Amino acid sequence: MRTIQGKMFLAFSIMICLAIIPISYSTYRNASHVIEENATTFISDSIRRADEKLRSTMEEADQIAKVIVTRDIVAQSLLSTTAAPSYEWFQEKKLVEDYIASMATYKTYIQRISIIGYNGKIFQNGFTRIGQTKLQGLLEQEDLQENRRHVRLDASMENSILLVRPLLAGGKSIGLCVIEFNTDFMKSVFEIQPLKGSLIGVVDDQGKVIYHSGSNWSGISDLASVIEKIYREQRTEQGGSFETVDGDKYLTVQIVSDLIGWTTIGIVPTSELLREVHQIRRDMILVTVLVLLAVHIVSIVLSKQITKNLKRLHNTMKRVRGGQLKARPHIHTEDEVGQLSDMFSSMMTHVQELMEETEERGRQKREAEYRALQSQINPHFLYNTLNTINYLSKIQQVPNIGEISAALVELMRFAVDQKRDLIPIREELELLKRYLSIQKYRFLDRVTVSIDAEESTLDCLIPKLVLQPIVENALLHGFGVSPEREGRITIKSYCRGSSDVIIDVTDNGVGISEEQIEAIHKHEPEHNVQGGTGIGISNVRDRIRLTFGEEYGISIVSVPGILTTAELRLPQFKEKGEEDR
């Protein structure tokens, strides 16, 4: 193979064959194995259901026989000395036969019930199918005197099935109860044909075929001999196996009934069973030939393409246009196409660097904005705090001034600390408590603040000083406008799901109107919203979003005059040392 066309065809053909042939062979073997297993299971289940139907019918018939043989009137009639054609004999016969006829009522599978005694008496119902001579012959079989169920097959009468139970009196057998089944009983039980083309055969414990469903089955000429052969060869086996008969292969399944010892054998021709698998094999061979033909055509076409590098460059440009900026053509030829490829690669590298530079500048800008937001300290808060300190210094000579000053110093220390942008919720709550220790002197304990934080949330990180503006807003604008109003502020911290931390700040102050809430969401100046709140709710929302993303932030729900709740949604984010605990 010196030509490109020949090399491409040989290489592609080998690759296709190495791919298709193992897959095709594996698929064919697996499909065959699965179909064989499913067929075996399905046939076995069908046979078991037929055997279960036979069991339930036999047990029902046996219950009828038990009731009859234990009936006193039956035993007394057999032991009585009345003889035909006396009136007593006629009454006795009518009474017993009416009774056994009532026992067979609505039992469509029962042809006739006979009571025969060793003294020669016979009571019967239904149509006569088995002569009295054959019934008398049953009395000569000594094993039928055992007090148990006996099943007999009368081959001379279309394989009629007989269920026999002895009648006992004083521990001695005085007669037999014989239940004859209908001629189509075996057909109704075993005419199941679980799969198309299947055959069901039944063999007794002596190895004789007593029934098969192949009256119209053309697969095997002598069905009885074949079934007997399969029975002898697989007598100790349960489940499915393959047998070859007259050069044809068959899947055989046999189940032994633990009720009467009969063996039910299912036979399915593998040609019928694997018909679809053979079609799959033919289709795979056809597909392989078509693929090889297609490979030959493609190799001819590709060998004539002298512009393959141009197409490669074109495809790379399409990928770049689709957003894959790192895509490169990887063309290493030194002709014009190779030079164009190098220029395109250099240009895209430069563009990518410019975009990364722009992204870095945007990040730095956002960080600067975040720093600017952090540096905004509430002037009103400082002013109010200083006024409170001044007021206390004039009218009270108590240590409260020191407490306020210490709290203020701690708040100022955290506010100006530029090394830690995020602090645990535990520390944020401590800062809030220091702020509240200052504000309690202003509101003279008419506002009660309660904090309920789940332990699992205390180590989660939060931008520092975000709770103080919200609580300040509740104090100044929820209760500050009404000097006599007493209120309550509740702060709860809990986990929602496995990813979010929720902090609710709820007060029962005057509330916020819908217009004010809408103005807050639109980033309108806060002095127009609620008369000036310093850092305020909008600032808190922006800080959270800049830190954790747009999906986090703050939402407000308010019922004026009843309650207002500000809900902060944060991620469950902890410092590395805390996450490892």
Side-chain angles (χ1 to χ4, degrees):
M1 294 292 182
R2 296 182 179 181
T3 64
I4 295 177
Q5 175 184 346
K7 293 179 180 178
M8 292 179 63
F9 175 75
L10 179 61
F12 286 168
S13 299
I14 293 175
M15 292 177 62
I16 293 298
C17 290
L18 290 178
I20 292 181
I21 292 177
I23 294 176
S24 301
Y25 179 77
S26 176
T27 302
Y28 175 77
R29 289 296 302 274
N30 291 336
S32 302
H33 183 66
V34 170
I35 290 178
E36 292 169 6
E37 287 185 346
N38 291 342
T40 302
T41 302
F42 188 73
I43 295 174
S44 300
D45 291 342
S46 300
I47 294 175
R48 288 190 178 94
R49 286 194 295 269
D51 182 69
E52 186 63 29
K53 181 179 179 181
L54 176 64
R55 170 191 291 274
S56 62
T57 304
M58 284 290 183
E59 289 179 349
E60 184 181 36
D62 188 47
Q63 289 298 322
I64 294 174
K66 285 181 180 178
V67 173
I68 292 175
V69 299
T70 56
R71 185 76 173 184
D72 293 337
I73 187 175
V74 177
Q76 291 172 3
S77 298
L78 283 182
L79 296 174
S80 69
T81 58
T82 60
S86 66
Y87 176 76
E88 291 78 10
W89 170 84
F90 177 80
Q91 282 188 322
E92 179 182 80
K93 180 177 179 63
K94 185 177 185 305
L95 185 63
V96 174
E97 288 183 350
D98 288 345
Y99 170 69
I100 62 177
S102 66
M103 297 300 295
T105 304
Y106 305 119
K107 302 298 185 290
T108 58
Y109 57 85
I110 296 179
Q111 182 72 26
R112 185 174 65 170
I113 300 178
S114 301
I115 306 295
I116 56 177
Y118 288 98
N119 58 5
K121 285 191 173 185
I122 298 179
F123 303 96
Q124 295 178 317
N125 80 304
F127 299 99
T128 301
R129 295 180 59 254
I130 301 179
Q132 293 187 6
T133 303
K134 292 186 178 295
L135 291 176
Q136 293 293 340
L138 295 176
L139 296 174
E140 299 175 2
Q141 300 181 25
E142 295 182 359
D143 62 320
L144 295 181
Q145 298 182 15
E146 298 179 12
N147 187 21
R148 61 181 177 85
R149 174 181 59 211
H150 304 273
V151 179
R152 289 291 186 270
L153 184 73
D154 186 4
S156 65
M157 296 295 294
E158 300 179 341
N159 290 339
S160 296
I161 299 177
L162 306 177
L163 188 145
V164 183
R165 264 198 175 272
L167 282 85
L168 303 178
K172 181 180 179 181
S173 176
I174 61 174
L176 300 175
C177 174
V178 181
I179 297 179
E180 302 174 33
F181 288 79
N182 286 327
T183 56
D184 60 348
F185 172 70
M186 290 290 288
K187 182 178 180 180
S188 65
V189 173
F190 292 100
E191 193 73 26
I192 50 180
Q193 196 173 15
L195 295 175
K196 182 179 179 181
S198 60
L199 166 71
I200 299 296
V202 182
V203 182
D204 63 12
D205 53 358
Q206 302 299 321
K208 181 180 179 181
V209 177
I210 59 178
Y211 171 80
H212 64 76
S213 62
S215 58
N216 298 321
W217 203 66
S218 58
I220 304 175
S221 56
D222 189 357
L223 292 175
S225 61
V226 170
I227 294 174
E228 290 178 358
K229 176 184 177 183
I230 294 174
Y231 170 78
R232 289 192 300 270
E233 293 179 354
Q234 298 183 352
R235 189 168 182 178
T236 60
E237 297 180 8
Q238 294 282 331
S241 62
F242 288 93
E243 290 291 328
T244 302
V245 179
D246 297 335
D248 295 326
K249 194 174 182 181
Y250 297 86
L251 172 66
T252 64
V253 180
Q254 60 174 290
I255 302 294
V256 179
S257 173
D258 56 358
L259 176 68
I260 51 180
W262 294 351
T263 301
T264 305
I265 301 175
I267 305 174
V268 183
T270 56
S271 59
E272 186 68 32
L273 183 66
L274 302 178
R275 183 191 301 270
E276 296 182 359
V277 178
H278 294 160
Q279 182 62 39
I280 293 175
R281 180 178 61 183
R282 290 191 293 269
D283 292 343
M284 288 183 174
I285 294 174
L286 178 60
V287 168
T288 302
V289 173
L290 294 177
V291 169
L292 291 177
L293 180 60
V295 168
H296 180 65
I297 296 174
V298 171
S299 64
I300 295 175
V301 174
L302 291 180
S303 63
K304 297 179 180 180
Q305 298 300 316
I306 60 175
T307 59
K308 57 182 180 296
N309 286 337
L310 284 175
K311 289 186 176 181
R312 186 179 300 173
L313 181 59
H314 175 261
N315 292 334
T316 303
M317 290 181 177
K318 288 176 62 177
R319 291 168 59 192
V320 171
R321 186 178 63 181
Q324 302 182 29
L325 300 181
K326 294 185 178 180
R328 298 293 183 269
H330 301 295
I331 298 175
H332 304 292
T333 59
E334 297 184 1
D335 54 12
E336 291 80 3
V337 178
Q339 296 174 11
L340 184 61
S341 173
D342 292 339
M343 293 177 62
F344 174 79
S345 299
S346 177
M347 180 183 67
M348 288 308 304
T349 301
H350 184 61
V351 169
Q352 188 173 358
E353 290 174 354
L354 290 177
M355 292 183 66
E356 291 176 353
E357 182 179 352
T358 302
E359 184 179 354
E360 176 65 19
R361 289 181 179 178
R363 187 190 64 79
Q364 293 176 356
K365 181 181 178 181
R366 290 194 299 272
E367 185 176 352
E369 291 174 350
Y370 175 75
R371 298 293 184 184
L373 286 172
Q374 280 189 316
S375 65
Q376 296 178 17
I377 306 301
N378 190 337
H380 286 276
F381 165 65
L382 295 177
Y383 177 79
N384 293 334
T385 302
L386 293 175
N387 279 341
T388 302
I389 296 174
N390 185 45
Y391 177 76
L392 291 175
S393 66
K394 291 181 179 180
I395 66 172
Q396 287 183 315
Q397 299 297 325
V398 292
N400 295 339
I401 297 176
E403 181 182 352
I404 294 176
S405 300
L408 177 60
V409 169
E410 187 66 20
L411 288 173
M412 290 295 296
R413 184 178 65 83
F414 269 89
V416 299
D417 184 8
Q418 300 295 325
K419 296 181 180 180
R420 299 174 63 196
D421 298 332
L422 299 175
I423 62 175
I425 293 178
R426 186 192 312 276
E427 295 186 20
E428 178 72 5
L429 292 177
E430 289 297 327
L431 290 175
L432 182 61
K433 291 178 182 179
R434 295 182 182 277
Y435 166 75
L436 292 173
S437 68
I438 297 174
Q439 292 297 329
K440 71 179 181 179
Y441 294 104
R442 179 179 181 183
F443 291 92
L444 300 178
D445 294 329
R446 62 185 177 88
V447 178
T448 303
V449 180
S450 63
I451 299 176
D452 181 13
E454 291 183 359
E455 184 67 27
S456 59
T457 65
L458 294 180
D459 292 323
C460 295
L461 298 181
I462 185 174
K464 62 183 178 182
L465 294 175
V466 296
L467 293 181
Q468 177 266 324
I470 299 175
V471 175
E472 179 189 21
N473 187 73
L475 289 172
L476 298 182
H477 303 284
F479 307 108
V481 296
S482 181
E484 302 301 326
R485 185 182 180 92
E486 294 186 0
R488 182 178 65 257
I489 299 177
T490 303
I491 303 169
K492 291 185 177 181
S493 172
Y494 57 93
C495 293
R496 177 184 293 171
S498 60
S499 61
D500 291 347
V501 173
I502 304 299
I503 302 177
D504 290 336
V505 180
T506 303
D507 68 81
N508 62 345
V510 296
I512 306 176
S513 66
E514 292 292 337
E515 292 78 10
Q516 292 173 328
I517 295 176
E518 185 176 357
I520 292 174
H521 289 310
K522 290 182 179 179
H523 292 258
E524 294 184 2
E526 297 185 5
H527 63 272
N528 294 332
V529 179
Q530 298 186 38
T533 60
I535 295 177
I537 297 176
S538 296
N539 198 319
V540 170
R541 179 184 57 242
D542 292 341
R543 292 178 61 195
I544 293 175
R545 289 183 176 179
L546 284 172
T547 303
F548 299 117
E550 292 295 325
E551 66 269 26
Y552 299 100
I554 183 172
S555 60
I556 300 174
V557 177
S558 179
V559 180
I562 298 178
L563 62 85
T564 300
T565 297
E567 181 185 275
L568 279 74
R569 178 169 174 255
L570 308 168
Q572 293 184 22
F573 178 69
K574 300 180 181 180
E575 292 181 345
K576 185 174 181 181
E578 298 292 341
E579 292 178 346
D580 295 338
R581 291 181 182 179

